[in-house]
Amino acid sequence: MSNYLRQVIEGKLPLNEDILREVKKASDTLKLVEMKCGKTKDIAHVDITLSTLLSGLTEMGAEFSQLLHRVNQIASERAMSLMSSRSDRDSPLGRQMYRWRLLPFLRPYHFYSRAYHASGGLFNGPLKTPSSFKELNDHIMDPASTSRSKKTTVRLFDDLSNEICKAADMVECVRQMHNNEYFREAAEESSRDFCQLIEGLNTYTELYNRLKGSKEKESGKLDDLDKRTIDLFIDDFKQSGVHLPPEQREEFVRLSSEIFDAGARYQWQCDVPVEIGRTDKYRFSLPSTRLTSPVSYSSQQEKRSFIHSTFYKSNPGQESELIRLVTSRHDLARLTGFESFAHRAQHNSVLGTYDNVKEFLHLLIEKCQPAVNREVAILYDIQSQCAMGQSKVLECDLPYLIDLYKTRAYGESLRLGRIGRFITVDSLIRGFVKLANRLYDVNLVERNIENGETWNSMMVKLEALDPNNNSLGFIYLDVEKRQSKAVGDCHFTVRCSKELDNQEWQTPIIVVSLALCDESQKNWRKSPVHVHAAENFFHEMGHAMHSILGRTRYQHIAGTRCPQDFSEIPSNLMEFFFNDIQVFRSLLRGENDEEIPIDEAASHLSARSAFSAIEVVQQAAYSLFDLELHGPEAPELLRQGKLTTGQLFHSMLSTSLPQITRSPNTAFQHRFHHLVQYGARYYSYLVARAGASLIWSSQFREDPFNRDAGMKWAKIQSYGGGLAPLILLENILGFRPTADNLTSAISDQSIHTSNLDAINI
Ligand SMILES: [Zn+2]
C-alpha cells in the first residue's frame, strides 16, 4: 500500500479512487489488530506490539498526509491554470511555525491542543480524509456543484476540520500524556506530519477564496450561525496571511517567522536556573549553587532579597529577544491595518477594543486600592513584629509574610490530616456528580474502563446522561501525578460535539488531567487531596461540562472553542461554587456522609481567599504591562532605544501597587513566558473571573442549587462560540456588562475578603 501511495505521489501511477478505498479498508483492519492486542494479559508484550503497530500506522499516516498534499497540489495547479494567476499555495514557512498555530483546522486551546487516545482506534481521522478532501476539492473546482450539492461550503469545511481534529488532537494528547515513552515518541513524530498537512491547508488560497465567496454565493442557504462560523474560519485563515497581496504576504511570512523564532528563544530562557558563587551559597546556607525559584520562606530578609533579586536579574539576551518579539508583532499588526498588536488582539473578545481593556485594567486597579491597603496594613504589622524598625514591605517579602500569616491565623485547622477524610478523589467525584445533577439535570455515571482503552494510570471514566438516559459524552479523569505528563492541570477536548449528516450528534470526549495522587498511594481514591488541588478539580470539571453541554451545529464553535475570556467563565464559576461554604460542606462529605465541621471549612476557605486583593492588583499590573508593551507607543520607543522593558514594567508595578517597595533593577519581565502565548491578552483571566463573579452573585449566591438558574446557564453554555461572548453574558445577566460592572464584581468581593484580623507573631 505504501509503495502504491509513494508512486502516486511521484506521479508514476495515476490516482485511483477504487484502490484508495481498498487501502482504507485494509488500514481499518489494522485497527482491529490493535484492539485484539489490547485484550492480551501480558502488558509488557502488548506495549511492544502496540508500539510496533503504532509506528507502522504513523508511517501510513505520513504517507496519507503526503498524498493529501499531492491531491491538494493537483487541485491547486488545475485551479491556477484555469484562472491563469500565480500560485501562492506553497508557503516558505517552516512547519514548526504551526506548532502553536494550527489554524483554522486546529485551534490550540489554552496553550495545549485538545486530544485523547480514543478507543475507536488510532489514526481514525486521516485515513478518512482523502474522500472528504476530494469532496471539498470537487466542490471548489466546480462552482456549479454548489447548487447541486445539498451541503454548504461551510458544512464541508467543518466536516473536514472535524476529521483532522479528531485525529490530530488524539495524537497531541498521547504526545503530552501517555505514560509510555514509545507512544509519546511515535505521537511526536506523527504530530509533525499533521503540522505539515495543516500548513498546506491553511495557506491554500483557493480554499480561503472559496469559503469567503460562499458567503455571498450561498447566502440563500445560510443562517446567522453559518455566517458567523464562516467569519471565524476566515479570521483563522487570516492568521496565516493567506488574504494578503503577494508582496505584503511575503513580509507577513517573514514577520511571522521572526515572531515565532523570537518567542521560542525568549521562552527557552524563561525558567533557566541561575548559578551563584560558593561564597553566597555558604553565606545564605543554600542547598546548592543553583537557584531555581525566586521565592524564599526564610525569616532572614537579606536572604529573601538576595534570592529574589538574583533570580530576577536582568538578562540582556532576554531583553533583545523580547524587543524583537514585540516590534515584529507591532509591524505585523500595522501591515494588516491595525494601530498596534494590542488593538489587533482584541478581535472577538468580551471587551472588544484596546481602549476598553485599558479602561477595565485601570478601573480594576483603582477600585481594589482600599482592599489592598487593608491587606498591606496587616503585612506591615507582621513585618514590624518580625524585624524591629523595618518600615517597608518589599516585593520579596510577600510570599513569606502571607505564608506566616496563614500559618498563624489558620494553622491548626489547615493541617491536611483533619480535613483529608472529607476531600478525596472519591468524595470530589461524588460531590461534582451531585452538583451536575442538581444544576443541569445531567447524570454523571462511572463506567468501567476496558483493557487497552486508555493508558495505565489512575483513571476514572464518567459518562454524562440526560434525563432520558441519552449519552451526552464521556469524561476521562487522569488524576495521577507523574513526571511524564508534559502539562499541568488541564483538559483536552478530543472529540467535539457536532451535528452529523443524519441529524444525530457527535458526542464529546474529554480528558481531564490533574495531579491529585501519586504512585505511592495504593488506595488512591480514598487518599486525602489538598484543598487547592480540589479547587482545580472543580475548575477543570467546569471546562469539561462546558463541552458536555455543548450542542452546536459545527465542531469549530463547540463548547470551549470560543474566545478565552469567555471559555474560562464556566471553570471560574465552578471555583465560586467550591468556595461557598454551604456548597463546600454539602458536596464534600466523608465516607459515611458526615459533614466537614463548620469552623474547619471556614478556616480553609478564608485561607484560600486571604490577600487576594494584592494578587488581583498584581495580575492587573502584569496585564497592563502586557497590553502596553504591545500597545501603540512602546514598540517604537523600544526599537529606538528610548525605553527598556524594565522601565515600562517598573512604572506599571510601582504605580499600581505603590504600597509594596520594589527594585527597578529586577526583571520579572524577562521570565514572563505568558507574554508569548497571550500577547496583549493576559488580562483574559481577570475578565473571566469578573464575568463568573457577576453570574455567581446574580444567579446562584442566594440559592446555589437553583435548578432554574442552572438550566438557564446550561443553555448559555450550549452555544459554545456560536454567539458572541458579550451576547451570551447579556443573555444570562439580563444586561450587557460594562468595564465598570466587571471591575466592581471583583473589587466588591475583595473588600469582603480583605477583612482580616491582626495576628501576634
Ligand atoms: Zn481554565
Side-chain angles (χ1 to χ4, degrees):
M1 289 189 296
S2 291
N3 281 341
Y4 167 73
L5 291 175
R6 220 170 281 131
Q7 301 221 14
V8 170
I9 290 160
E10 286 163 15
K12 290 182 189 154
L13 284 175
L15 186 78
N16 184 318
E17 288 274 348
D18 293 332
I19 300 180
L20 265 190
R21 231 166 276 135
E22 287 305 311
V23 172
K24 185 186 176 305
K25 243 188 263 166
S27 50
D28 284 344
T29 327
L30 278 177
K31 281 185 296 184
L32 291 179
V33 177
E34 185 229 346
M35 290 305 285
K36 228 184 274 165
C37 289
K39 296 213 167 64
T40 319
K41 291 239 158 44
D42 181 354
I43 300 294
H45 169 71
V46 171
D47 277 354
I48 294 162
T49 318
L50 283 181
S51 310
T52 322
L53 270 171
L54 183 66
S55 46
L57 284 167
T58 308
E59 255 177 58
M60 287 285 299
E63 294 280 3
F64 270 93
S65 299
Q66 283 178 22
L67 178 65
L68 280 178
H69 268 283
R70 186 65 195 130
V71 176
N72 184 343
Q73 226 169 354
I74 294 167
S76 164
E77 279 158 16
R78 271 192 228 149
M80 290 310 141
S81 65
L82 280 176
M83 297 162 67
S84 52
S85 76
R86 171 183 173 274
S87 163
D88 46 2
R89 188 195 58 83
D90 295 315
S91 156
L93 287 181
R95 60 158 75 139
Q96 278 297 322
M97 197 70 218
Y98 288 87
R99 294 311 291 271
W100 303 111
R101 292 206 302 113
L102 309 178
L103 301 164
F105 290 93
L106 263 185
R107 293 201 298 179
Y109 181 65
H110 279 202
F111 36 96
Y112 337 110
S113 293
R114 318 142 303 273
Y116 166 61
H117 166 187
S119 55
L122 298 166
F123 290 93
N124 194 21
L127 297 174
K128 282 186 200 157
T129 313
S131 57
S132 31
F133 193 80
K134 178 81 174 53
E135 195 180 352
L136 182 66
N137 257 326
D138 288 349
H139 195 67
I140 288 162
M141 293 305 298
D142 177 13
S145 71
T146 315
S147 45
R148 288 199 305 271
S149 158
K150 274 190 230 128
K151 274 196 181 182
T152 54
T153 306
V154 63
R155 213 173 247 273
L156 280 167
F157 251 74
D158 198 65
D159 288 350
L160 178 62
S161 177
N162 188 38
E163 291 305 322
I164 298 176
C165 285
K166 276 193 296 186
D169 287 350
M170 172 260 288
V171 168
E172 182 61 12
C173 185
V174 171
R175 192 175 78 84
Q176 304 247 28
M177 285 187 65
H178 206 292
N179 58 5
N180 178 316
E181 64 175 309
Y182 296 113
F183 273 85
R184 290 200 303 275
E185 276 166 23
E188 173 87 43
E189 217 163 277
S190 82
S191 91
R192 265 181 239 131
D193 295 323
F194 278 115
C195 287
Q196 224 173 16
L197 165 69
I198 289 153
E199 182 188 321
L201 292 170
N202 282 350
T203 50
Y204 187 9
T205 323
E206 268 311 291
L207 275 182
Y208 166 75
N209 288 338
R210 183 66 194 179
L211 181 67
K212 199 161 165 251
S214 77
K215 216 175 154 183
E216 254 179 44
K217 287 193 192 112
E218 298 167 20
S219 64
K221 292 188 200 168
L222 304 175
D223 62 14
D224 287 349
L225 186 69
D226 297 321
K227 287 178 194 157
R228 178 172 165 80
T229 310
I230 292 175
D231 288 342
L232 291 170
F233 267 126
I234 286 176
D235 283 346
D236 286 349
F237 257 118
K238 285 183 177 171
Q239 298 286 323
S240 304
V242 68
H243 61 301
L244 297 170
E247 312 87 75
Q248 280 187 25
R249 190 155 165 221
E250 226 162 83
E251 180 62 1
F252 185 97
V253 168
R254 189 190 68 76
L255 288 168
S256 300
S257 54
E258 277 289 290
I259 292 168
F260 179 80
D261 187 59
R265 282 168 197 272
Y266 170 81
Q267 227 163 0
W268 284 331
Q269 296 296 315
C270 276
D271 298 314
V272 289
V274 181
E275 289 298 330
I276 54 162
R278 292 199 169 273
T279 331
D280 286 326
K281 175 180 179 282
Y282 292 119
R283 184 165 145 228
F284 295 112
S285 333
L286 293 165
S288 107
T289 53
R290 207 153 227 248
L291 282 186
T292 52
S293 153
V295 178
S296 162
Y297 294 101
S298 163
S299 58
Q300 261 181 288
Q301 194 188 40
E302 200 192 348
K303 180 174 173 180
R304 297 198 296 268
S305 170
F306 170 79
I307 291 178
H308 186 266
S309 59
T310 310
F311 189 78
Y312 285 134
K313 197 167 56 184
S314 179
N315 176 338
Q318 285 296 80
E319 179 73 3
S320 70
E321 293 304 348
L322 188 52
I323 292 179
R324 187 158 72 99
L325 173 71
V326 169
T327 49
S328 304
R329 279 176 169 172
H330 185 68
D331 294 344
L332 186 122
R334 305 286 295 205
L335 183 73
T336 45
F338 291 91
E339 198 181 333
S340 74
F341 191 79
H343 284 78
R344 184 179 188 256
Q346 311 318 325
H347 190 55
N348 271 332
S349 67
V350 169
L351 293 172
T353 68
Y354 162 79
D355 290 320
N356 287 351
V357 177
K358 205 169 159 173
E359 186 199 359
F360 168 82
L361 291 171
H362 280 294
L363 267 177
L364 182 61
I365 291 166
E366 189 190 311
K367 288 188 190 174
C368 286
Q369 289 305 314
V372 170
N373 286 334
R374 285 159 76 167
E375 291 178 359
V376 170
I378 297 278
L379 296 181
Y380 270 73
D381 180 47
I382 308 174
Q383 180 82 309
S384 65
Q385 290 184 54
C386 290
M388 288 296 274
Q390 179 57 267
S391 58
K392 287 180 194 162
V393 170
L394 310 183
E395 211 174 21
C396 63
D397 296 329
L398 287 176
Y400 167 73
L401 295 175
I402 290 174
D403 184 67
L404 192 61
Y405 180 90
K406 288 186 181 176
T407 317
R408 293 295 156 96
Y410 317 106
E412 258 315 285
S413 38
L414 287 192
R415 285 218 315 270
L416 190 59
R418 288 173 53 171
I419 204 167
R421 66 195 175 98
F422 301 99
I423 311 183
T424 62
V425 172
D426 269 348
S427 78
L428 283 169
I429 293 174
R430 277 199 308 268
F432 197 86
V433 166
K434 224 190 280 178
L435 183 63
N437 188 269
R438 292 178 73 173
L439 286 181
Y440 308 135
D441 205 4
V442 168
N443 272 323
L444 294 171
V445 183
E446 185 165 350
R447 298 290 188 217
N448 287 333
I449 298 176
E450 299 292 320
N451 200 358
E453 188 179 345
T454 66
W455 48 87
N456 190 11
S457 177
M458 295 166 171
M459 191 83 87
V460 179
K461 176 183 176 184
L462 300 170
E463 181 173 16
L465 300 169
D466 74 6
N468 302 320
N469 274 339
N470 296 314
S471 183
L472 296 171
F474 290 94
I475 303 172
Y476 291 80
L477 297 161
D478 180 348
V479 300
E480 188 186 32
K481 262 182 227 165
R482 61 173 181 268
Q483 283 285 312
S484 60
K485 274 187 188 173
V487 290
D489 290 351
C490 66
H491 74 286
F492 295 78
T493 307
V494 176
R495 193 171 73 185
C496 287
S497 80
K498 169 180 166 64
E499 191 186 13
L500 299 173
D501 291 347
N502 58 6
Q503 266 69 55
E504 284 185 5
W505 292 97
Q506 170 177 295
T507 51
I509 298 173
I510 296 109
V511 178
V512 175
S513 172
L514 293 156
L516 303 182
C517 310
D518 60 48
E519 253 181 340
S520 65
Q521 290 164 315
K522 288 281 165 275
N523 199 1
W524 57 275
R525 293 187 62 142
K526 299 197 183 339
S527 302
V529 169
H530 199 277
V531 182
H532 177 65
E535 188 188 69
N536 286 357
F537 171 88
F538 270 68
H539 179 101
E540 295 304 334
M541 288 303 281
H543 283 305
M545 286 308 291
H546 192 185
S547 291
I548 291 287
L549 296 167
R551 270 289 176 269
T552 47
R553 187 181 305 158
Y554 300 117
Q555 64 91 35
H556 194 61
I557 49 169
T560 50
R561 290 189 163 190
C562 54
Q564 191 169 28
D565 43 13
F566 190 84
S567 71
E568 286 296 328
I569 290 180
S571 50
N572 267 284
L573 185 61
M574 281 301 127
E575 291 185 27
F576 279 92
F577 276 94
F578 181 85
N579 284 293
D580 179 88
I581 193 156
Q582 185 198 339
V583 179
F584 188 78
R585 293 182 73 225
S586 117
L587 295 185
L588 301 175
R589 301 290 188 112
E591 195 88 327
N592 303 313
D593 206 36
E594 60 278 31
E595 261 189 331
I596 303 176
I598 192 153
D599 51 333
E600 270 189 44
S603 292
H604 274 273
L605 297 178
S606 306
R608 301 258 336 114
S609 62
F611 302 99
S612 55
I614 293 180
E615 198 194 317
V616 165
V617 171
Q618 222 168 21
Q619 291 298 319
Y622 295 164
S623 305
L624 203 53
F625 167 72
D626 167 52
L627 187 78
E628 295 302 15
L629 187 68
H630 294 97
E633 281 154 27
E636 286 305 334
L637 294 173
L638 288 166
R639 194 182 339 243
Q640 295 158 15
K642 292 180 183 162
L643 178 76
T644 64
T645 63
Q647 287 166 335
L648 185 67
F649 187 79
H650 186 66
S651 82
M652 296 298 167
L653 261 289
S654 50
T655 34
S656 310
L657 213 50
Q659 303 88 338
I660 309 293
T661 306
R662 72 181 305 277
S663 154
N665 302 323
T666 53
F668 171 86
Q669 80 280 3
H670 289 166
R671 291 181 177 272
F672 188 20
H673 51 80
H674 292 310
L675 288 173
V676 177
Q677 272 101 23
Y678 291 91
R681 270 194 307 235
Y682 183 67
Y683 73 88
S684 301
Y685 276 92
L686 289 169
V687 169
R689 176 135 207 93
S693 175
L694 285 176
I695 296 171
W696 168 254
S697 47
S698 66
Q699 312 293 317
F700 298 106
R701 188 164 56 199
E702 295 300 311
D703 181 8
F705 298 116
N706 186 310
R707 171 67 66 80
D708 290 342
M711 294 309 276
K712 191 168 143 195
W713 177 230
K715 177 83 189 145
I716 299 289
Q717 291 181 81
S718 75
Y719 292 111
L723 283 175
L726 204 55
I727 297 178
L728 292 175
L729 277 177
E730 188 178 356
N731 287 352
I732 182 82
L733 297 172
F735 62 93
R736 193 170 278 219
T738 60
D740 191 43
N741 303 134
L742 290 165
T743 48
S744 292
I746 297 183
S747 64
D748 290 354
Q749 203 197 345
S750 70
I751 286 288
H752 177 69
T753 54
S754 65
N755 198 4
L756 301 163
D757 294 328
I759 53 155
N760 287 319
I761 300 298

